[in-house]
Amino acid sequence: AALAALARQLDAAADAYRPRQADLRTVTVDVPTPVWRVAQRVYGDAREVRRLAQANPLTRPTLLAPGTTLVVLPDPTRGGRR
């Protein structure tokens, strides 16, 4: 019973951090671009590559082909918007 209660609490916490559709945006690269460069551009920190990987099925996570469109998750430290 305690484990089930903990699972419900974790699910509720996860729901609180799920971005709303209105908070999502996309970015499309025009030339071959390293994923870290996109992270630097949209989050201000190249180390945020994992946030891009969470939202996108990256088949080649180091270099994006021209025309690749990525979903950009909101930055929770900035009130959900960036």
Side-chain angles (χ1 to χ4, degrees):
L3 188 55
L6 178 59
R8 283 192 299 275
Q9 288 176 341
L10 290 174
D11 285 342
D15 285 341
Y17 287 103
R18 283 197 185 99
R20 297 172 306 183
Q21 191 64 33
D23 289 334
L24 296 178
R25 67 183 183 102
T26 60
V27 62
T28 302
V29 297
D30 297 328
V31 296
T33 306
V35 177
W36 65 264
R37 185 163 289 153
V38 176
Q40 176 68 45
R41 189 172 110 205
V42 298
Y43 296 118
D45 187 346
R47 295 171 295 182
E48 292 297 332
V49 168
R50 67 185 162 275
R51 189 172 304 170
L52 291 173
Q54 286 175 333
N56 299 278
L58 301 177
T59 56
R60 193 163 175 216
T62 55
L63 190 65
L64 301 170
T68 301
T69 298
L70 298 175
V71 172
V72 177
L73 293 176
D75 185 344
T77 64
R78 298 183 183 269
R81 298 203 183 269
R82 173 85 176 143

